[in-house]
Amino acid sequence: MAELMEMIHKEEAGLTVDRSLDGAPSDVQSFQIFVTGEWRACFDKIYSNLANAPSISDIIRNRRQGHRRGAQRGGGGMMRGQEASQLPQEKELKSWREISIFIQEFVENNFGKGSLRRTYKEPTYIEHLLGTSPDLSSPESPNVFFPDRNFDYRKVLFLGQEINFLLMHTLSYALFDLWFGSTPISVLLTWLLDYLFCFIRGAYGKAIIAKKTLVDERFIITSSY
Amino acid sequence: MNWYARHSRPLSGRLTANDVGGINLKSLLNFCLLAMNTGVVFFFPILTLICWYFFVFFKIQKTPSIFLPPLENIYDTGTAYFYFTACLHILAIFQVVYVGYIVFLQCRMDIFFIDWEPSKSKSDGGTGNVSAWRTILAINEWSAMQTMRKIDINFSLFWILFFLLGLGLEKNATNQPNLTSTDSGELNIVLRFANTTFWWLLSGFLQYTWRYFIFDRFISEPQEQIFVDFCTIAKVSLLVMDEKFHGYYLHCRSPHQFAGNII
């Protein structure tokens, strides 16, 4: 803890380099990225091994089922169950390491091929106003990083969808009010609708994160619903 | 045009047509859902302003000038309230479907955490391995943030219940032109919509204003900033691809050499 506090104090006193990305302003840590088709094809090639992998929970569950089946059939079945569930794991770990290195090399701009390199650009006024993407029409154009000073990465969470949720609550409440003509029933149904979406996002999102990051779902203990 | 530019890329020798997106059944479905949301964003203010107009000028009139049709057969075509009823149904269903679509997309995003911690050599007192606990902590923080919002539904519903039932303000929607009267009576659906929409929007506006202008500036920090700071201390970056060729990258590589310190 003392080392952590010392690090924070050093950073506060300006005794360290800033947190910025190479080629980007010092006050920006969040970026909006637009990638090329080549980059996406390379990413998908490695990521598909990871994304379709059984999670560690699935492997443990399969192993337990193999044990139960083996106990019913005899020792030979148990061994077969264990071997079958162990086989995919090394492939997923290898993919995880590969994709980690791929993204690190991409961020550090170490690739030689133009379409796998990145460049930082400030969006033009029109791009900022209309949310248009930069021009990536040339096949060898590099991937583009735009600064995300307003933390628009919230759009991938419920934090960035406030207006949509407010509209949904207002309209669904009005509809339930029209159907049932009762304020308490409308309030209850609106709350249930919101809880349903939060439950799906929390539960399904947690399962997907566990699967794609190879972290056991049992380690994700925080509940968002 | 903007959507097409984000979802397609020029073909190179290695890539196939499926790799580079473009127009297909999936993109047409996306287009329909985006059109639904655009319709809601466009027509909801129009419907609300029309209902508020009737509410204000019907309720404050001293001499009879505005009359509301009787509430009969609101689902039959040709009646005075049919267009309002149809519009409300369409907007509500479209918005619920669109939010369901957003939730579906958010759950299926490609997400990856990148650990920048270098491994400590045995001469430095390390084991040569990097601990996974910082990544697990960052994933837990992200998981907790998934459904956080500035506008709290429980708070909104509590105060709406208080104002409409507790203080009896739902009777503002009765068919008589007197705002101060609290006599029971049949509630007009247009006035009811105007009344409830007002309280919902007021509640959302006040909560968002409180969080944005006061709480997140003077008392705490925005949750998204807290998360970036946390990931920087943990030295774990985040890459999220919400679309095929678009995503966000949080660069959280702290300037310190090691983040996995001994407590």
Side-chain angles (χ1 to χ4, degrees), chain A residues 3 29 31-33 35 40 108 153 162 164 177 183 191 194 201 212 219 221-222 224, chain B residues 9 12 95 106 110 140 146-147 149-150 154 170 192 224 232 244 246-247 249 251 253 261:
Chain A
E3 286 181 46
Q29 283 184 268
F31 298 91
Q32 197 182 159
I33 63 174
V35 300
R40 186 72 208 201
E108 288 175 339
Y153 82 87
E162 301 276 7
N164 283 319
D177 214 21
T183 300
W191 182 85
D194 183 79
R201 177 71 176 94
K212 292 192 176 183
F219 286 129
I221 57 174
T222 48
S224 52
Chain B
R9 289 292 180 264
S12 71
Q95 187 61 15
Q106 285 189 357
D110 291 330
N140 270 284
Q146 286 181 131
T147 56
R149 278 167 286 177
K150 287 184 172 40
N154 298 319
E170 67 174 352
R192 196 165 188 165
E224 51 273 16
T232 306
K244 199 169 170 79
H246 174 266
Y249 171 68
H251 184 64
R253 190 176 188 180
N261 294 307

mmCIF file of all heavy atoms in Angstrom, chain A residues 3 29 31-33 35 40 108 153 162 164 177 183 191 194 201 212 219 221-222 224, chain B residues 9 12 95 106 110 140 146-147 149-150 154 170 192 224 232 244 246-247 249 251 253 261:
data_model
loop_
_atom_site.group_PDB
_atom_site.id
_atom_site.type_symbol
_atom_site.label_atom_id
_atom_site.label_comp_id
_atom_site.label_asym_id
_atom_site.label_seq_id
_atom_site.Cartn_x
_atom_site.Cartn_y
_atom_site.Cartn_z
ATOM 1 N N GLU A 3 3.780 1.598 -1.311
ATOM 2 C CA GLU A 3 4.316 1.811 -2.665
ATOM 3 C C GLU A 3 3.273 2.431 -3.570
ATOM 4 O O GLU A 3 3.566 3.320 -4.368
ATOM 5 C CB GLU A 3 4.771 0.470 -3.266
ATOM 6 C CG GLU A 3 6.057 -0.057 -2.670
ATOM 7 C CD GLU A 3 6.458 -1.378 -3.318
ATOM 8 O OE1 GLU A 3 6.411 -1.462 -4.557
ATOM 9 O OE2 GLU A 3 6.791 -2.316 -2.577
ATOM 10 N N GLN A 29 -7.140 9.867 -22.425
ATOM 11 C CA GLN A 29 -6.875 8.435 -22.231
ATOM 12 C C GLN A 29 -7.915 7.567 -22.925
ATOM 13 O O GLN A 29 -7.717 6.377 -23.063
ATOM 14 C CB GLN A 29 -6.890 8.100 -20.737
ATOM 15 C CG GLN A 29 -5.636 8.505 -20.007
ATOM 16 C CD GLN A 29 -5.668 8.060 -18.562
ATOM 17 O OE1 GLN A 29 -6.093 8.778 -17.678
ATOM 18 N NE2 GLN A 29 -5.201 6.856 -18.323
ATOM 19 N N PHE A 31 -10.214 6.782 -26.284
ATOM 20 C CA PHE A 31 -10.166 7.014 -27.720
ATOM 21 C C PHE A 31 -11.310 6.272 -28.408
ATOM 22 O O PHE A 31 -11.680 5.166 -28.004
ATOM 23 C CB PHE A 31 -8.843 6.515 -28.312
ATOM 24 C CG PHE A 31 -7.646 7.215 -27.759
ATOM 25 C CD1 PHE A 31 -6.995 6.706 -26.650
ATOM 26 C CD2 PHE A 31 -7.181 8.380 -28.328
ATOM 27 C CE1 PHE A 31 -5.895 7.352 -26.114
ATOM 28 C CE2 PHE A 31 -6.080 9.036 -27.802
ATOM 29 C CZ PHE A 31 -5.441 8.521 -26.686
ATOM 30 N N GLN A 32 -11.769 6.904 -29.485
ATOM 31 C CA GLN A 32 -12.734 6.258 -30.359
ATOM 32 C C GLN A 32 -11.914 5.727 -31.533
ATOM 33 O O GLN A 32 -11.147 6.490 -32.128
ATOM 34 C CB GLN A 32 -13.751 7.296 -30.845
ATOM 35 C CG GLN A 32 -14.995 6.704 -31.402
ATOM 36 C CD GLN A 32 -15.960 7.782 -31.908
ATOM 37 O OE1 GLN A 32 -16.798 7.490 -32.703
ATOM 38 N NE2 GLN A 32 -15.803 9.003 -31.473
ATOM 39 N N ILE A 33 -12.039 4.442 -31.835
ATOM 40 C CA ILE A 33 -11.177 3.887 -32.883
ATOM 41 C C ILE A 33 -12.012 3.420 -34.072
ATOM 42 O O ILE A 33 -13.111 2.904 -33.931
ATOM 43 C CB ILE A 33 -10.287 2.741 -32.348
ATOM 44 C CG1 ILE A 33 -11.119 1.558 -31.857
ATOM 45 C CG2 ILE A 33 -9.401 3.235 -31.221
ATOM 46 C CD1 ILE A 33 -10.261 0.365 -31.463
ATOM 47 N N VAL A 35 -11.348 1.068 -37.383
ATOM 48 C CA VAL A 35 -10.340 0.113 -37.846
ATOM 49 C C VAL A 35 -10.582 -0.258 -39.300
ATOM 50 O O VAL A 35 -11.691 -0.160 -39.819
ATOM 51 C CB VAL A 35 -10.330 -1.160 -36.963
ATOM 52 C CG1 VAL A 35 -10.021 -0.785 -35.527
ATOM 53 C CG2 VAL A 35 -11.641 -1.901 -37.025
ATOM 54 N N ARG A 40 -9.451 -5.812 -38.856
ATOM 55 C CA ARG A 40 -10.572 -6.588 -38.330
ATOM 56 C C ARG A 40 -10.432 -8.058 -38.703
ATOM 57 O O ARG A 40 -10.730 -8.945 -37.902
ATOM 58 C CB ARG A 40 -11.891 -6.034 -38.871
ATOM 59 C CG ARG A 40 -13.094 -6.701 -38.263
ATOM 60 C CD ARG A 40 -13.304 -6.299 -36.830
ATOM 61 N NE ARG A 40 -13.969 -7.363 -36.101
ATOM 62 C CZ ARG A 40 -14.638 -7.191 -34.963
ATOM 63 N NH1 ARG A 40 -14.739 -5.981 -34.445
ATOM 64 N NH2 ARG A 40 -15.188 -8.208 -34.354
ATOM 65 N N GLU A 108 1.150 0.185 -29.585
ATOM 66 C CA GLU A 108 2.499 0.764 -29.627
ATOM 67 C C GLU A 108 2.950 1.058 -31.049
ATOM 68 O O GLU A 108 4.062 1.531 -31.252
ATOM 69 C CB GLU A 108 3.484 -0.189 -28.948
ATOM 70 C CG GLU A 108 3.298 -0.204 -27.437
ATOM 71 C CD GLU A 108 4.173 -1.226 -26.744
ATOM 72 O OE1 GLU A 108 4.624 -2.187 -27.396
ATOM 73 O OE2 GLU A 108 4.404 -1.063 -25.544
ATOM 74 N N TYR A 153 -17.320 6.515 -24.536
ATOM 75 C CA TYR A 153 -17.294 5.046 -24.412
ATOM 76 C C TYR A 153 -18.432 4.581 -23.507
ATOM 77 O O TYR A 153 -18.776 3.402 -23.475
ATOM 78 C CB TYR A 153 -15.935 4.565 -23.879
ATOM 79 C CG TYR A 153 -15.744 4.634 -22.381
ATOM 80 C CD1 TYR A 153 -16.147 3.588 -21.562
ATOM 81 C CD2 TYR A 153 -15.131 5.730 -21.791
ATOM 82 C CE1 TYR A 153 -15.973 3.644 -20.190
ATOM 83 C CE2 TYR A 153 -14.950 5.794 -20.428
ATOM 84 C CZ TYR A 153 -15.371 4.754 -19.625
ATOM 85 O OH TYR A 153 -15.189 4.812 -18.273
ATOM 86 N N GLU A 162 -28.963 7.122 -21.465
ATOM 87 C CA GLU A 162 -29.927 7.717 -20.533
ATOM 88 C C GLU A 162 -31.191 8.173 -21.243
ATOM 89 O O GLU A 162 -32.306 7.915 -20.773
ATOM 90 C CB GLU A 162 -29.299 8.933 -19.828
ATOM 91 C CG GLU A 162 -28.036 8.645 -19.047
ATOM 92 C CD GLU A 162 -28.325 8.118 -17.655
ATOM 93 O OE1 GLU A 162 -29.480 7.844 -17.330
ATOM 94 O OE2 GLU A 162 -27.373 7.958 -16.901
ATOM 95 N N ASN A 164 -32.475 7.237 -24.093
ATOM 96 C CA ASN A 164 -33.279 6.109 -24.586
ATOM 97 C C ASN A 164 -34.067 5.456 -23.466
ATOM 98 O O ASN A 164 -35.227 5.085 -23.633
ATOM 99 C CB ASN A 164 -32.364 5.067 -25.255
ATOM 100 C CG ASN A 164 -31.943 5.509 -26.639
ATOM 101 O OD1 ASN A 164 -32.750 6.046 -27.391
ATOM 102 N ND2 ASN A 164 -30.693 5.321 -26.978
ATOM 103 N N ASP A 177 -50.547 2.876 -18.347
ATOM 104 C CA ASP A 177 -51.596 3.740 -17.784
ATOM 105 C C ASP A 177 -52.848 3.711 -18.663
ATOM 106 O O ASP A 177 -53.978 3.714 -18.177
ATOM 107 C CB ASP A 177 -51.052 5.165 -17.698
ATOM 108 C CG ASP A 177 -51.579 5.916 -16.497
ATOM 109 O OD1 ASP A 177 -52.027 5.245 -15.535
ATOM 110 O OD2 ASP A 177 -51.559 7.157 -16.515
ATOM 111 N N THR A 183 -52.483 4.008 -11.520
ATOM 112 C CA THR A 183 -51.102 4.479 -11.317
ATOM 113 C C THR A 183 -50.216 3.426 -10.648
ATOM 114 O O THR A 183 -49.098 3.182 -11.123
ATOM 115 C CB THR A 183 -51.111 5.782 -10.505
ATOM 116 O OG1 THR A 183 -51.853 6.766 -11.220
ATOM 117 C CG2 THR A 183 -49.715 6.302 -10.259
ATOM 118 N N TRP A 191 -41.442 -0.589 -13.510
ATOM 119 C CA TRP A 191 -40.282 -1.045 -12.737
ATOM 120 C C TRP A 191 -39.867 -2.450 -13.157
ATOM 121 O O TRP A 191 -38.677 -2.740 -13.299
ATOM 122 C CB TRP A 191 -40.615 -1.026 -11.241
ATOM 123 C CG TRP A 191 -39.457 -1.423 -10.384
ATOM 124 C CD1 TRP A 191 -38.463 -0.636 -9.933
ATOM 125 C CD2 TRP A 191 -39.182 -2.747 -9.893
ATOM 126 N NE1 TRP A 191 -37.563 -1.377 -9.193
ATOM 127 C CE2 TRP A 191 -37.980 -2.672 -9.145
ATOM 128 C CE3 TRP A 191 -39.817 -3.980 -10.007
ATOM 129 C CZ2 TRP A 191 -37.414 -3.774 -8.526
ATOM 130 C CZ3 TRP A 191 -39.249 -5.077 -9.390
ATOM 131 C CH2 TRP A 191 -38.061 -4.973 -8.665
ATOM 132 N N ASP A 194 -38.005 -2.359 -16.496
ATOM 133 C CA ASP A 194 -36.632 -1.879 -16.320
ATOM 134 C C ASP A 194 -35.765 -2.959 -15.670
ATOM 135 O O ASP A 194 -34.623 -3.185 -16.079
ATOM 136 C CB ASP A 194 -36.627 -0.619 -15.448
ATOM 137 C CG ASP A 194 -35.235 -0.046 -15.286
ATOM 138 O OD1 ASP A 194 -34.774 0.625 -16.214
ATOM 139 O OD2 ASP A 194 -34.607 -0.276 -14.230
ATOM 140 N N ARG A 201 -29.051 -7.603 -19.116
ATOM 141 C CA ARG A 201 -27.740 -6.988 -19.383
ATOM 142 C C ARG A 201 -26.715 -7.462 -18.380
ATOM 143 O O ARG A 201 -25.575 -7.766 -18.728
ATOM 144 C CB ARG A 201 -27.878 -5.458 -19.324
ATOM 145 C CG ARG A 201 -26.580 -4.697 -19.517
ATOM 146 C CD ARG A 201 -26.099 -4.790 -20.949
ATOM 147 N NE ARG A 201 -24.923 -4.002 -21.188
ATOM 148 C CZ ARG A 201 -23.671 -4.453 -21.126
ATOM 149 N NH1 ARG A 201 -23.450 -5.712 -20.837
ATOM 150 N NH2 ARG A 201 -22.667 -3.660 -21.353
ATOM 151 N N LYS A 212 -15.296 -14.352 -22.900
ATOM 152 C CA LYS A 212 -14.350 -13.720 -23.819
ATOM 153 C C LYS A 212 -13.034 -13.346 -23.145
ATOM 154 O O LYS A 212 -12.041 -13.130 -23.822
ATOM 155 C CB LYS A 212 -14.998 -12.480 -24.444
ATOM 156 C CG LYS A 212 -16.136 -12.852 -25.373
ATOM 157 C CD LYS A 212 -16.617 -11.698 -26.222
ATOM 158 C CE LYS A 212 -17.680 -12.194 -27.174
ATOM 159 N NZ LYS A 212 -18.161 -11.169 -28.088
ATOM 160 N N PHE A 219 -15.445 -15.564 -10.465
ATOM 161 C CA PHE A 219 -14.595 -14.469 -10.001
ATOM 162 C C PHE A 219 -15.263 -13.113 -10.207
ATOM 163 O O PHE A 219 -14.798 -12.115 -9.674
ATOM 164 C CB PHE A 219 -13.260 -14.476 -10.751
ATOM 165 C CG PHE A 219 -12.335 -15.558 -10.322
ATOM 166 C CD1 PHE A 219 -11.752 -16.399 -11.253
ATOM 167 C CD2 PHE A 219 -12.043 -15.753 -8.985
ATOM 168 C CE1 PHE A 219 -10.897 -17.408 -10.856
ATOM 169 C CE2 PHE A 219 -11.185 -16.759 -8.594
ATOM 170 C CZ PHE A 219 -10.603 -17.584 -9.522
ATOM 171 N N ILE A 221 -17.824 -11.109 -9.112
ATOM 172 C CA ILE A 221 -18.748 -11.161 -7.980
ATOM 173 C C ILE A 221 -19.648 -9.932 -7.894
ATOM 174 O O ILE A 221 -20.632 -9.961 -7.187
ATOM 175 C CB ILE A 221 -17.982 -11.332 -6.652
ATOM 176 C CG1 ILE A 221 -16.976 -10.187 -6.472
ATOM 177 C CG2 ILE A 221 -17.305 -12.675 -6.602
ATOM 178 C CD1 ILE A 221 -16.292 -10.193 -5.131
ATOM 179 N N THR A 222 -19.304 -8.865 -8.614
ATOM 180 C CA THR A 222 -20.119 -7.663 -8.491
ATOM 181 C C THR A 222 -21.399 -7.846 -9.287
ATOM 182 O O THR A 222 -21.379 -8.353 -10.404
ATOM 183 C CB THR A 222 -19.377 -6.429 -9.018
ATOM 184 O OG1 THR A 222 -18.827 -6.757 -10.288
ATOM 185 C CG2 THR A 222 -18.300 -6.013 -8.075
ATOM 186 N N SER A 224 -24.797 -6.248 -11.057
ATOM 187 C CA SER A 224 -25.255 -4.981 -11.602
ATOM 188 C C SER A 224 -26.769 -4.974 -11.763
ATOM 189 O O SER A 224 -27.332 -4.179 -12.477
ATOM 190 C CB SER A 224 -24.595 -4.723 -12.954
ATOM 191 O OG SER A 224 -24.758 -5.828 -13.790
ATOM 192 N N ARG B 9 -15.935 -1.475 -45.622
ATOM 193 C CA ARG B 9 -14.543 -1.117 -45.879
ATOM 194 C C ARG B 9 -14.199 -1.523 -47.310
ATOM 195 O O ARG B 9 -14.806 -2.444 -47.856
ATOM 196 C CB ARG B 9 -13.610 -1.839 -44.901
ATOM 197 C CG ARG B 9 -13.688 -1.336 -43.476
ATOM 198 C CD ARG B 9 -13.129 0.070 -43.359
ATOM 199 N NE ARG B 9 -13.191 0.586 -42.004
ATOM 200 C CZ ARG B 9 -14.160 1.354 -41.542
ATOM 201 N NH1 ARG B 9 -15.161 1.689 -42.323
ATOM 202 N NH2 ARG B 9 -14.137 1.799 -40.309
ATOM 203 N N SER B 12 -9.646 -5.486 -50.186
ATOM 204 C CA SER B 12 -8.257 -5.654 -50.593
ATOM 205 C C SER B 12 -8.125 -7.101 -51.049
ATOM 206 O O SER B 12 -9.083 -7.861 -50.970
ATOM 207 C CB SER B 12 -7.306 -5.355 -49.441
ATOM 208 O OG SER B 12 -7.382 -6.378 -48.489
ATOM 209 N N GLN B 95 -39.924 1.926 -29.021
ATOM 210 C CA GLN B 95 -38.839 2.279 -28.108
ATOM 211 C C GLN B 95 -38.427 1.077 -27.260
ATOM 212 O O GLN B 95 -37.237 0.872 -27.017
ATOM 213 C CB GLN B 95 -39.266 3.452 -27.207
ATOM 214 C CG GLN B 95 -38.159 4.013 -26.346
ATOM 215 C CD GLN B 95 -36.991 4.582 -27.125
ATOM 216 O OE1 GLN B 95 -37.071 4.822 -28.326
ATOM 217 N NE2 GLN B 95 -35.869 4.788 -26.451
ATOM 218 N N GLN B 106 -25.113 -4.633 -26.764
ATOM 219 C CA GLN B 106 -24.122 -4.387 -25.711
ATOM 220 C C GLN B 106 -23.634 -5.698 -25.109
ATOM 221 O O GLN B 106 -22.465 -5.816 -24.745
ATOM 222 C CB GLN B 106 -24.726 -3.504 -24.612
ATOM 223 C CG GLN B 106 -24.865 -2.047 -25.004
ATOM 224 C CD GLN B 106 -25.262 -1.164 -23.838
ATOM 225 O OE1 GLN B 106 -25.487 -1.643 -22.724
ATOM 226 N NE2 GLN B 106 -25.343 0.126 -24.072
ATOM 227 N N ASP B 110 -17.431 -7.236 -28.536
ATOM 228 C CA ASP B 110 -16.126 -7.864 -28.303
ATOM 229 C C ASP B 110 -15.376 -6.999 -27.304
ATOM 230 O O ASP B 110 -15.189 -5.806 -27.522
ATOM 231 C CB ASP B 110 -15.339 -7.924 -29.627
ATOM 232 C CG ASP B 110 -15.964 -8.899 -30.599
ATOM 233 O OD1 ASP B 110 -16.569 -9.891 -30.140
ATOM 234 O OD2 ASP B 110 -15.855 -8.685 -31.818
ATOM 235 N N ASN B 140 -14.376 -6.903 -12.755
ATOM 236 C CA ASN B 140 -15.454 -6.734 -11.777
ATOM 237 C C ASN B 140 -15.997 -5.312 -11.786
ATOM 238 O O ASN B 140 -17.209 -5.095 -11.694
ATOM 239 C CB ASN B 140 -14.952 -7.096 -10.380
ATOM 240 C CG ASN B 140 -15.162 -8.552 -10.063
ATOM 241 O OD1 ASN B 140 -16.278 -8.983 -9.771
ATOM 242 N ND2 ASN B 140 -14.115 -9.341 -10.142
ATOM 243 N N GLN B 146 -22.075 -1.947 -15.750
ATOM 244 C CA GLN B 146 -22.888 -2.251 -16.927
ATOM 245 C C GLN B 146 -24.268 -1.605 -16.894
ATOM 246 O O GLN B 146 -24.766 -1.151 -17.910
ATOM 247 C CB GLN B 146 -23.057 -3.778 -17.067
ATOM 248 C CG GLN B 146 -21.796 -4.454 -17.564
ATOM 249 C CD GLN B 146 -21.996 -5.946 -17.712
ATOM 250 O OE1 GLN B 146 -21.663 -6.511 -18.722
ATOM 251 N NE2 GLN B 146 -22.520 -6.602 -16.712
ATOM 252 N N THR B 147 -24.914 -1.598 -15.723
ATOM 253 C CA THR B 147 -26.286 -1.071 -15.669
ATOM 254 C C THR B 147 -26.391 0.196 -14.839
ATOM 255 O O THR B 147 -27.495 0.606 -14.485
ATOM 256 C CB THR B 147 -27.242 -2.128 -15.097
ATOM 257 O OG1 THR B 147 -26.741 -2.537 -13.822
ATOM 258 C CG2 THR B 147 -27.366 -3.320 -16.002
ATOM 259 N N ARG B 149 -26.677 4.091 -14.020
ATOM 260 C CA ARG B 149 -27.218 5.242 -14.743
ATOM 261 C C ARG B 149 -27.252 6.452 -13.819
ATOM 262 O O ARG B 149 -27.291 6.309 -12.599
ATOM 263 C CB ARG B 149 -28.642 4.951 -15.225
ATOM 264 C CG ARG B 149 -28.728 4.171 -16.504
ATOM 265 C CD ARG B 149 -30.125 3.680 -16.729
ATOM 266 N NE ARG B 149 -30.426 2.577 -15.829
ATOM 267 C CZ ARG B 149 -31.612 1.978 -15.771
ATOM 268 N NH1 ARG B 149 -32.592 2.376 -16.546
ATOM 269 N NH2 ARG B 149 -31.821 0.984 -14.940
ATOM 270 N N LYS B 150 -27.282 7.628 -14.422
ATOM 271 C CA LYS B 150 -27.412 8.857 -13.635
ATOM 272 C C LYS B 150 -28.871 9.039 -13.197
ATOM 273 O O LYS B 150 -29.148 9.583 -12.141
ATOM 274 C CB LYS B 150 -26.959 10.061 -14.447
ATOM 275 C CG LYS B 150 -25.445 10.151 -14.640
ATOM 276 C CD LYS B 150 -25.069 11.422 -15.371
ATOM 277 C CE LYS B 150 -23.601 11.728 -15.463
ATOM 278 N NZ LYS B 150 -22.636 10.743 -15.693
ATOM 279 N N ASN B 154 -35.776 3.925 -9.536
ATOM 280 C CA ASN B 154 -36.489 3.795 -8.262
ATOM 281 C C ASN B 154 -36.832 5.176 -7.701
ATOM 282 O O ASN B 154 -37.943 5.392 -7.199
ATOM 283 C CB ASN B 154 -35.641 3.013 -7.250
ATOM 284 C CG ASN B 154 -35.368 1.617 -7.731
ATOM 285 O OD1 ASN B 154 -36.244 0.953 -8.288
ATOM 286 N ND2 ASN B 154 -34.147 1.153 -7.545
ATOM 287 N N GLU B 170 -52.937 13.236 -9.945
ATOM 288 C CA GLU B 170 -53.429 12.540 -11.135
ATOM 289 C C GLU B 170 -54.830 13.047 -11.497
ATOM 290 O O GLU B 170 -55.266 12.898 -12.632
ATOM 291 C CB GLU B 170 -53.425 11.022 -10.943
ATOM 292 C CG GLU B 170 -54.404 10.517 -9.918
ATOM 293 C CD GLU B 170 -54.463 8.990 -9.881
ATOM 294 O OE1 GLU B 170 -53.855 8.328 -10.759
ATOM 295 O OE2 GLU B 170 -55.116 8.461 -8.974
ATOM 296 N N ARG B 192 -54.069 12.867 -19.290
ATOM 297 C CA ARG B 192 -53.324 11.938 -18.430
ATOM 298 C C ARG B 192 -51.901 11.770 -18.969
ATOM 299 O O ARG B 192 -50.930 11.780 -18.212
ATOM 300 C CB ARG B 192 -54.039 10.603 -18.420
ATOM 301 C CG ARG B 192 -53.595 9.715 -17.310
ATOM 302 C CD ARG B 192 -54.569 8.591 -17.132
ATOM 303 N NE ARG B 192 -54.218 7.868 -15.934
ATOM 304 C CZ ARG B 192 -54.992 7.002 -15.321
ATOM 305 N NH1 ARG B 192 -56.182 6.743 -15.802
ATOM 306 N NH2 ARG B 192 -54.589 6.382 -14.237
ATOM 307 N N GLU B 224 -17.408 7.244 -15.186
ATOM 308 C CA GLU B 224 -16.547 6.846 -16.293
ATOM 309 C C GLU B 224 -15.100 7.309 -16.065
ATOM 310 O O GLU B 224 -14.161 6.608 -16.458
ATOM 311 C CB GLU B 224 -17.084 7.404 -17.625
ATOM 312 C CG GLU B 224 -17.399 8.881 -17.643
ATOM 313 C CD GLU B 224 -18.804 9.246 -17.179
ATOM 314 O OE1 GLU B 224 -19.484 8.397 -16.544
ATOM 315 O OE2 GLU B 224 -19.201 10.392 -17.424
ATOM 316 N N THR B 232 -6.021 2.714 -14.757
ATOM 317 C CA THR B 232 -4.663 3.223 -14.921
ATOM 318 C C THR B 232 -3.783 2.774 -13.757
ATOM 319 O O THR B 232 -2.639 2.366 -13.958
ATOM 320 C CB THR B 232 -4.662 4.755 -15.016
ATOM 321 O OG1 THR B 232 -5.555 5.157 -16.049
ATOM 322 C CG2 THR B 232 -3.279 5.297 -15.319
ATOM 323 N N LYS B 244 -18.474 -3.603 -36.064
ATOM 324 C CA LYS B 244 -17.431 -4.380 -36.734
ATOM 325 C C LYS B 244 -16.144 -3.573 -36.918
ATOM 326 O O LYS B 244 -15.038 -4.085 -36.747
ATOM 327 C CB LYS B 244 -17.957 -4.849 -38.094
ATOM 328 C CG LYS B 244 -17.163 -6.004 -38.667
ATOM 329 C CD LYS B 244 -17.873 -6.607 -39.864
ATOM 330 C CE LYS B 244 -16.994 -7.584 -40.605
ATOM 331 N NZ LYS B 244 -16.886 -8.892 -40.019
ATOM 332 N N HIS B 246 -15.690 -0.298 -35.526
ATOM 333 C CA HIS B 246 -15.681 0.852 -34.614
ATOM 334 C C HIS B 246 -15.632 0.349 -33.181
ATOM 335 O O HIS B 246 -16.227 -0.690 -32.849
ATOM 336 C CB HIS B 246 -16.949 1.693 -34.844
ATOM 337 C CG HIS B 246 -17.108 2.809 -33.863
ATOM 338 N ND1 HIS B 246 -17.851 2.689 -32.710
ATOM 339 C CD2 HIS B 246 -16.605 4.074 -33.857
ATOM 340 C CE1 HIS B 246 -17.806 3.824 -32.041
ATOM 341 N NE2 HIS B 246 -17.057 4.686 -32.718
ATOM 342 N N GLY B 247 -14.932 1.075 -32.365
ATOM 343 C CA GLY B 247 -14.890 0.683 -30.961
ATOM 344 C C GLY B 247 -14.257 1.787 -30.134
ATOM 345 O O GLY B 247 -14.078 2.918 -30.610
ATOM 346 N N TYR B 249 -11.095 2.532 -27.116
ATOM 347 C CA TYR B 249 -9.910 2.015 -26.455
ATOM 348 C C TYR B 249 -9.594 2.928 -25.280
ATOM 349 O O TYR B 249 -9.488 4.146 -25.444
ATOM 350 C CB TYR B 249 -8.723 1.973 -27.443
ATOM 351 C CG TYR B 249 -7.416 1.643 -26.774
ATOM 352 C CD1 TYR B 249 -7.204 0.379 -26.234
ATOM 353 C CD2 TYR B 249 -6.420 2.588 -26.646
ATOM 354 C CE1 TYR B 249 -6.017 0.076 -25.587
ATOM 355 C CE2 TYR B 249 -5.234 2.298 -26.001
ATOM 356 C CZ TYR B 249 -5.035 1.046 -25.469
ATOM 357 O OH TYR B 249 -3.868 0.746 -24.814
ATOM 358 N N HIS B 251 -6.791 3.800 -22.828
ATOM 359 C CA HIS B 251 -5.358 3.596 -22.642
ATOM 360 C C HIS B 251 -5.026 3.844 -21.171
ATOM 361 O O HIS B 251 -4.963 4.992 -20.717
ATOM 362 C CB HIS B 251 -4.572 4.551 -23.544
ATOM 363 C CG HIS B 251 -3.091 4.351 -23.487
ATOM 364 N ND1 HIS B 251 -2.499 3.189 -23.899
ATOM 365 C CD2 HIS B 251 -2.101 5.151 -23.047
ATOM 366 C CE1 HIS B 251 -1.194 3.277 -23.716
ATOM 367 N NE2 HIS B 251 -0.920 4.457 -23.207
ATOM 368 N N ARG B 253 -2.281 2.728 -19.335
ATOM 369 C CA ARG B 253 -0.924 2.247 -19.026
ATOM 370 C C ARG B 253 -0.283 3.285 -18.125
ATOM 371 O O ARG B 253 0.072 4.370 -18.589
ATOM 372 C CB ARG B 253 -0.150 2.095 -20.321
ATOM 373 C CG ARG B 253 1.161 1.385 -20.159
ATOM 374 C CD ARG B 253 1.837 1.192 -21.485
ATOM 375 N NE ARG B 253 3.004 0.344 -21.370
ATOM 376 C CZ ARG B 253 3.784 0.020 -22.375
ATOM 377 N NH1 ARG B 253 3.521 0.456 -23.584
ATOM 378 N NH2 ARG B 253 4.829 -0.751 -22.189
ATOM 379 N N ASN B 261 1.952 -4.302 -6.700
ATOM 380 C CA ASN B 261 2.843 -4.116 -5.571
ATOM 381 C C ASN B 261 2.411 -4.962 -4.405
ATOM 382 O O ASN B 261 1.283 -5.371 -4.264
ATOM 383 C CB ASN B 261 2.836 -2.639 -5.141
ATOM 384 C CG ASN B 261 3.430 -1.785 -6.232
ATOM 385 O OD1 ASN B 261 4.519 -2.037 -6.696
ATOM 386 N ND2 ASN B 261 2.685 -0.793 -6.668
#
